[in-house]
């Protein structure tokens, strides 16, 4: 089995060296390193300019949003490098950016020109709008008068048309009445002829009760004499061989009655034809008059509707002209404000374009020239003596100490003289000698 044996640590044969104090970096090297670090941390001073250019590219009209986003995202990387060290692809991107920015400038310039023209022609526009109000007002007055005239004409035409229609109805009623009597006479003549040649001829040859009954009814309808009709009933009920002289007289009277009835109805028809024609002509004339009045009435109605439509349009034009005249002031105020905003926008776009052109054209600046050493200060003449060593810090300390001690001793001597006269005390001399000795020691220590 394994046994664990503790071993004491062996002393190192190398001598123990105490930690050396940290050495300070020389001031010059430290300054260079800090300057380099500061250069790495300093942000690009043109970042705000890049952002303004990118915003102008994104706001451009007439380009696909994807293309604008691509160009805007490439502004910083394309402009960060000077032109002499810039990649060709970046130059291509800058060319497209320049095209977009110039198109924005052209669009804003056109907007400014249009607004300047609108504001510059404000007086003419105001006069035009006021003239339009006057013109439309006059047109409305004329059309209103014309509308009233059309209404009056239409009212008169309506009355004339109504009269024509009433006259037509009167002559049509007269025609109907006159023609009905004539038609009845014609119908009676037709019936007389039909019975005379029909039933009457048959009952003369036969003894049919049915035919006799129909004949007697027709004879009564014709208005024949009742005694004659009664006698005809008896006569025509007999056979031909049973009829006598009286029966012959009855037949003769019936023949005369038929002839008289036909003659009367024929005369009535003959005398009624001219009246019928007159009535027909009167109806045609009245109908034509009514039709003419109806046409006039319709024409005046159409004229009235047309005048109403024209007047409505004129009233609308008048309202529009009055509104345009009323809106002129606010429109000009807005146009002036829009022009000021457009001028400001144009100035901003021009500034962005100028910034872009400066950044796009810049090159790497030349290295700075080395700074000349500062001129040495002229020392006083007494310090420039030949062979004289430059003063050291110890001399200044020593001089200051000696001056203070001598001043103290001098004050004491003056005080002694004021009390004891010119007799110099021993302690003052010893003090002065002691001070001179101390000052000399201090001078020698500073020299070493």
């Amino acid at each position: 089995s394994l046994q664990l044996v503790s071993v004491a640590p062996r002393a190192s044969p190398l001598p123990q060296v105490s930690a050396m104090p940290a050495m300070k970096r020389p001031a010059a090297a430290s300054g260079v390193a800090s300057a380099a670090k500061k250069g790495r941390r300093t942000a690009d001073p043109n970042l705000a300019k890049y952002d303004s250019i990118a915003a102008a590219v994104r706001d451009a009209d007439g380009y696909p949003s994807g293309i604008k986003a691509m160009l805007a995202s490439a502004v910083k990387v394309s402009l960060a490098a000077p032109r002499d060290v810039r990649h060709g692809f970046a130059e291509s991107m800058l060319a497209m950016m320049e095209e977009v920015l110039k198109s924005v400038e052209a669009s804003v310039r056109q907007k400014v020109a249009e607004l300047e023209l609108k504001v510059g022609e404000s007086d003419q526009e105001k006069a035009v709008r006021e003239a339009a109000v006057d013109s439309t007002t006059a047109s409305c007055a004329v059309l209103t008068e014309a509308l009233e005239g059309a209404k009056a004409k239409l009212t008169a035409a309506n009355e004339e048309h109504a009269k024509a229609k009433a006259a037509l109805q009167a002559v049509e009623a007269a025609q109907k009445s006159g023609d009905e009597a004539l038609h009845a006479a014609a119908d009676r003549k037709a019936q007389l002829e039909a019975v005379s040649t029909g039933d009457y001829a048959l009952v003369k040859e036969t003894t049919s009760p049915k035919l006799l009954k129909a004949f007697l009814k027709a004879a009564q309808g014709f208005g024949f004499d009742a005694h004659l009709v009664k006698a005809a009933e008896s006569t025509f009920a007999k056979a031909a061989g049973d009829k006598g002289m009286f029966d012959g007289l009855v037949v003769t009277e019936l023949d005369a009655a038929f002839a008289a009835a036909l003659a009367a109805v024929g005369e009535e028809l003959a005398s009624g034809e001219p009246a019928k024609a007159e009535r027909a002509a009167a109806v045609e004339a009245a109908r034509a008059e009514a039709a003419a009045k109806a046409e006039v009435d319709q024409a005046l109605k159409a004229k009235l509707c047309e005048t109403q439509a024209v007047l409505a349009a004129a009233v609308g034009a008048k309202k529009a002209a009055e509104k345009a005249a009323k809106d002129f002031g606010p429109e000009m105020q807005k146009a002036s404000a829009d022009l000021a905003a457009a001028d400001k926008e144009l100035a901003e776009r021009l500034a962005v374009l100028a910034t872009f052109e400066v950044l796009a054209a810049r090159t790497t600046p030349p290295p700075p020239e080395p700074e000349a050493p500062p001129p040495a200060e002229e020392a006083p003449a007494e310090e420039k003596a030949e062979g004289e060593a430059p003063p050291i810090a110890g001399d200044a300390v020593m001089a200051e100490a000696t001056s203070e001690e001598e001043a103290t001793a001098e004050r004491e001597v003056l005080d002694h003289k004021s009390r004891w006269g010119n007799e110099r005390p021993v302690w003052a001399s010893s003090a002065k000698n002691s001070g001179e000795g101390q000052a000399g020691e201090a001078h020698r220590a500073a020299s070493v």
Side-chain angles (χ1 to χ4, degrees), residues 186-447:
D187 292 340
R188 188 165 62 254
K189 179 183 178 182
Q191 290 177 358
L192 286 170
E193 291 175 347
V195 172
S196 175
T197 58
D199 293 344
Y200 179 57
L202 291 175
V203 295
K204 287 179 181 181
E205 302 297 333
T206 63
T207 58
S208 170
K210 185 177 181 180
L211 290 176
L212 179 60
K213 184 178 181 179
F215 168 73
L216 294 174
K217 183 177 180 181
Q220 290 175 353
F222 294 149
F224 290 173
D225 183 73
H227 295 287
L228 179 61
V229 174
K230 185 69 175 174
E233 180 180 5
S234 173
T235 298
F236 293 131
K238 298 176 184 178
D242 297 335
K243 293 177 181 179
M245 184 180 296
F246 180 77
D247 295 325
L249 292 173
V250 170
V251 172
T252 302
E253 289 294 328
L254 285 173
D255 291 340
F258 270 106
L262 287 173
V265 74
E267 184 179 356
E268 182 181 358
L269 288 175
S271 62
E273 284 299 327
K276 180 180 179 182
E278 289 179 359
R279 289 191 297 270
V283 169
E284 290 298 326
R287 186 175 288 121
E289 181 70 12
K293 298 298 183 181
E295 290 181 0
V296 173
D297 190 59
Q298 291 298 323
L300 290 176
K301 283 182 180 179
K303 184 65 176 179
L304 178 63
C305 293
E306 180 183 353
T307 305
Q308 288 174 337
V310 175
L311 178 59
V315 170
K318 179 175 177 289
K319 291 181 179 179
E322 291 174 344
K323 184 177 184 303
K326 182 179 178 181
D327 295 341
F328 175 77
E331 285 181 7
M332 287 301 103
Q333 292 178 356
K334 185 178 183 301
S336 299
D338 292 344
L339 178 58
D343 286 334
K344 181 180 178 182
E345 182 182 2
L346 179 59
E348 293 173 353
R349 299 304 183 190
L350 290 174
V352 171
L353 181 58
T355 300
F356 172 82
E357 291 175 346
V358 170
L359 292 176
R362 70 189 177 100
T363 58
T364 304
E369 297 181 359
E371 297 181 0
E377 295 183 0
E378 293 292 335
E382 59 273 11
E383 294 181 3
K384 286 185 173 183
E386 259 185 72
E388 184 180 353
I392 61 176
D395 294 339
V397 175
M398 180 190 68
E400 183 178 358
T402 304
S403 176
E404 291 179 359
E405 292 175 354
E406 287 180 352
T408 302
E410 187 69 26
R411 284 194 298 273
E412 292 177 354
V413 170
L414 292 174
D415 182 61
H416 175 76
K417 285 182 178 182
S418 63
R419 294 182 181 182
W420 308 103
N422 292 329
E423 184 179 356
R424 187 180 183 88
V426 179
W427 57 267
S429 300
S430 62
K432 181 178 182 181
N433 294 335
S434 175
E436 291 177 353
Q438 291 177 1
E441 288 295 335
H443 175 72
R444 284 191 294 274
S447 300

Side-chain angles (χ1 to χ4, degrees), residues 61-73:
D61 295 329
Y63 296 91
S65 57
I67 299 297
K68 293 189 293 185
M70 178 195 70
L71 293 176
S73 64

